[in-house]
Amino acid sequence: MSRSRSPGQVVLRRALGGRRRLVLAGSVLRAGHQAGEAAVPVLIGLAVDQGVVAGDLGALLRWLAVLAVVYLVLSFSYRFGARASDRAMEEIAHTLRAEVVGRVLHPGGGAESGRLPGALAGIATEDARRVGALANAIPGAAATFTGLLAGAAVLLWISVPLGLVVLAGAPALLWLGHLLSRPLERRSATEQDRAARASGVAADLVAGLRVLKGIGAERAALDRYRATSRDSLAATMRAARAEALQNGVVLALTGCLIAVVGLSGGRLAAGGRISLGDLISAVGLALFLIGPLQSLARVNTAFAQARASATRIAEVLAAPPAVTPGAARLPRDLRGGLSLRAVGHAGLRGIDLEVAPGELLGVAATDPADALALLRCLDRRADPETGTVELDGVSLRDLDPGDLRSTVLVAAHDADLFEGTLLGNVGAVAEQDADLGRVMAAAGADEVARALPYGQETAVAERGRSLSGGQRQRVALARALAADRPVLVVHDPTTAVDTVTEARIAAGIRELRRGRTTIMVTTSPALLTVADRVVLLDGGRIVETGPHTELARRNETYRSAVLT
């Protein structure tokens, strides 16, 4: 029975299999280059024996011409071999990056579980690069073996003892390099994990810098990063020590092997058992063998790092989805009615709610955690622990998350903007015939554009950091409105704007979304005022339903949550 492969091995085989021809071409050309390199000392020795020692100018010129042709072949094979292997390396890294990013962005989620964003970025970049580097290491290994075999064969031809020295010493060095690569593989995996975690912590701290300064937590945040960075440094130093040990031991033993070949050749020449040209060839081959033998350490290092990185990539790709995709399909004439039946999730308990098609519903939650739990169920980032959520009579459990999100858009309170222009952010998900001017006016983003130096074409920094909090909110809301989904759920879209702008946005949402199902999860009285109906979520249950004015008049809990 064949032994099952690990997930990391599967990733390596699949990545290399897709670029098999390029890797093979690079291996053949680089092996040919190494064989040509081994031939150079032999040709020089023949030129010395037949041309210089024998005093035959014609023979000398012929061998020099042969040398010139060999150097032309060497140039060709090195150039195109390196091009093929480098192309394979970059294509493999690109493919793996795309696969990791695709898995992270998959509507089913799950890949981000237990991982910081910076860690995922490290896997998609550095780990993908290291696996791709294997496409360069394999031709390097082929060249190494070819060089060793060619060198040993020529030395056997010159002198059997010299050839046997290489044939006995090279496998021993290969075996030793393999043994020394095992701790390097383990430490390389730990190094990448710690580095990714440090990057993730740094990214989180930068993203929350304003909040940290506001609450005076800079020292605690700095201490946290220092501790994480020290762990990363320690892991990197352990990996570096393992790599240095491997390279140092292999290099030292390589020097000893070359010295033995050189000394043996000198004794044979002094005893008259080999010619002057043979001695020159033997010494030249001894010097030539330094390259292939030294490359053994680099090849082993590349293989060890690639195996460790492939395992990390496999863990992301194989991460189970947060929600299981279903096979059901929504009706073509989607109306947008939502039904929550006995939904229980996190703090929610027995939620029963009917949202009519085209209704503008307000949801006021006394506990922000309950609001987030409701949003997760509507977005299907999590399935309810009990009960069901249905869209036009179809349970969300039975839908593919990607299909669901093409119909239902849940606009998060802390949605980030993309690097680009203001208009580009708003129109990123809009249909070609969308009236973006009307959308921006409804969200109050037109005022943001007028306040910027280049209007709608003003560049927006990564995550919208060049804008104020209120400006970011309005642009993010405009982007959600521009998507024009049949069902739109917005969460606290106006917490950072003034009351006059908030009232204008409330009216804009009602007008723009007329006839389209819209749910506003918020405690903003301006937004709740324009809702057709408001439900009060308290203690994980819906305790009352009615227009905003009536709830504000008769319910003390509602007044405390919304008006204070």
Side-chain angles (χ1 to χ4, degrees):
M1 180 181 296
S2 62
R3 186 176 59 181
S4 61
R5 299 187 181 94
S6 67
Q9 290 174 326
V10 172
V11 168
L12 286 176
R13 289 179 65 86
R14 182 165 51 82
L16 292 170
R19 303 295 182 275
R20 187 181 295 109
R21 291 184 178 181
L22 285 174
V23 175
L24 180 60
S27 299
V28 171
L29 289 169
R30 291 178 66 176
H33 175 269
Q34 200 75 326
E37 290 274 11
V40 170
V42 178
L43 295 175
I44 292 176
L46 290 172
V48 169
D49 277 344
Q50 299 181 20
V52 177
V53 175
D56 187 342
L57 180 60
L60 177 62
L61 292 176
R62 284 195 299 272
W63 286 119
L64 290 177
V66 172
L67 270 174
V69 173
V70 169
Y71 273 110
L72 286 175
V73 174
L74 287 175
S75 175
F76 172 87
S77 58
Y78 182 84
R79 175 185 176 186
F80 288 95
R83 176 183 293 182
S85 52
D86 284 351
R87 180 178 175 182
M89 176 178 65
E90 294 301 331
E91 288 186 0
I92 288 173
H94 169 73
T95 300
L96 289 176
R97 282 195 297 270
E99 288 185 8
V100 172
V101 172
R103 179 62 191 89
V104 171
L105 296 179
H106 190 275
E112 73 282 1
S113 179
R115 299 180 180 91
L116 292 171
L120 291 171
I123 292 172
T125 53
E126 183 61 18
D127 282 313
R129 183 194 66 79
R130 287 189 171 188
V131 174
L134 198 59
N136 212 358
I138 290 176
T144 295
F145 287 120
T146 301
L148 292 175
L149 291 175
V154 173
L155 287 173
L156 280 172
W157 174 62
I158 295 173
S159 170
V160 173
L162 291 180
L164 292 178
V165 168
V166 176
L167 288 176
L173 287 176
L174 287 171
W175 178 75
L176 181 62
H178 174 69
L179 290 181
L180 292 174
S181 71
R182 292 179 179 178
L184 175 60
E185 181 177 350
R186 293 193 300 269
R187 294 181 182 184
S188 178
T190 304
E191 173 197 10
Q192 287 296 95
D193 181 68
R194 297 292 189 274
R197 180 165 183 80
S199 298
V201 170
D204 285 351
L205 293 180
V206 171
L209 190 58
R210 293 184 180 180
V211 176
L212 291 172
K213 289 183 176 180
I215 62 176
E218 299 99 318
R219 175 57 58 184
L222 183 59
D223 290 342
R224 178 193 175 199
Y225 178 73
R226 280 178 173 168
T228 307
S229 182
R230 280 195 296 268
D231 289 342
S232 176
L233 176 61
T236 301
M237 293 301 295
R238 287 193 294 270
R241 282 194 292 269
E243 183 176 354
L245 174 64
Q246 178 188 16
N247 292 343
V249 171
V250 172
L251 181 61
L253 294 179
T254 297
C256 293
L257 178 62
I258 300 306
V260 170
V261 172
L263 289 173
S264 300
R267 289 177 62 86
L268 291 172
R273 298 173 61 184
I274 60 175
S275 67
L276 176 61
D278 289 339
L279 175 61
I280 292 173
S281 296
V283 173
L285 283 169
L287 295 175
F288 157 76
L289 289 174
I290 292 177
L293 289 170
Q294 283 182 343
S295 71
L296 288 177
R298 294 193 296 271
V299 169
N300 275 309
T301 297
F303 271 87
Q305 292 177 339
R307 287 193 296 266
S309 291
T311 300
R312 286 163 50 80
I313 290 174
E315 290 173 354
V316 173
L317 297 180
V323 293
T324 304
R329 289 288 182 266
L330 289 168
R332 291 188 177 181
D333 55 341
L334 189 72
R335 300 173 62 240
L338 284 169
S339 299
L340 284 74
R341 307 182 190 279
V343 169
H345 183 72
L348 302 180
R349 294 178 294 167
I351 298 295
D352 289 303
L353 178 63
E354 295 287 336
V355 184
E359 182 178 11
L360 179 58
L361 177 72
V363 177
T366 57
D367 186 348
D370 291 341
L372 291 175
L374 177 62
L375 292 168
R376 288 179 63 83
C377 292
L378 294 176
D379 196 21
R380 212 189 164 209
R381 283 181 289 158
D383 288 324
E385 297 161 8
T386 59
T388 61
V389 181
E390 297 179 355
L391 176 60
D392 279 2
V394 181
S395 173
L396 300 192
R397 292 179 186 270
D398 298 332
L399 295 172
D400 184 275
D403 294 339
L404 173 65
R405 291 187 184 122
S406 66
T407 303
V408 178
L409 173 60
V410 177
H413 165 68
D414 55 350
D416 288 324
L417 302 182
F418 305 116
E419 187 175 1
T421 65
L422 182 68
L423 186 62
N425 268 276
V426 175
V429 293
E431 299 293 337
Q432 289 185 351
D433 57 349
D435 187 351
L436 296 184
R438 185 166 174 249
V439 167
M440 293 183 67
D446 56 342
E447 292 183 353
V448 177
R450 287 195 292 270
L452 296 176
Y454 301 104
Q456 297 178 349
E457 298 301 324
T458 300
V460 176
E462 183 182 3
R463 303 184 74 174
R465 292 194 182 99
S466 57
L467 303 178
S468 68
Q471 289 174 328
R472 283 198 303 272
Q473 273 195 335
R474 283 181 275 179
V475 175
L477 176 59
R479 182 175 61 192
L481 293 173
D484 197 28
R485 296 287 193 269
V487 179
L488 174 63
V489 183
V490 293
H491 179 215
D492 281 335
T494 58
T495 54
V497 301
D498 59 82
T499 54
V500 174
T501 303
E502 189 175 28
R504 179 191 170 197
I505 291 173
I509 292 176
R510 180 169 182 83
E511 178 61 27
L512 192 68
R513 293 290 301 176
R514 190 179 301 277
R516 313 279 273 177
T517 305
T518 308
I519 301 175
M520 301 181 296
V521 182
T522 182
T523 54
S524 163
L527 293 175
L528 296 174
T529 297
V530 302
D532 298 325
R533 178 170 58 110
V534 179
V535 297
L536 175 61
L537 190 60
D538 183 37
R541 298 181 183 275
I542 294 178
V543 296
E544 195 159 0
T545 303
H548 166 72
T549 53
E550 290 187 13
L551 292 180
R553 176 175 53 82
R554 68 173 185 255
N555 192 296
E556 177 61 33
T557 302
Y558 184 81
R559 286 196 299 272
S560 298
V562 173
L563 301 178
T564 59

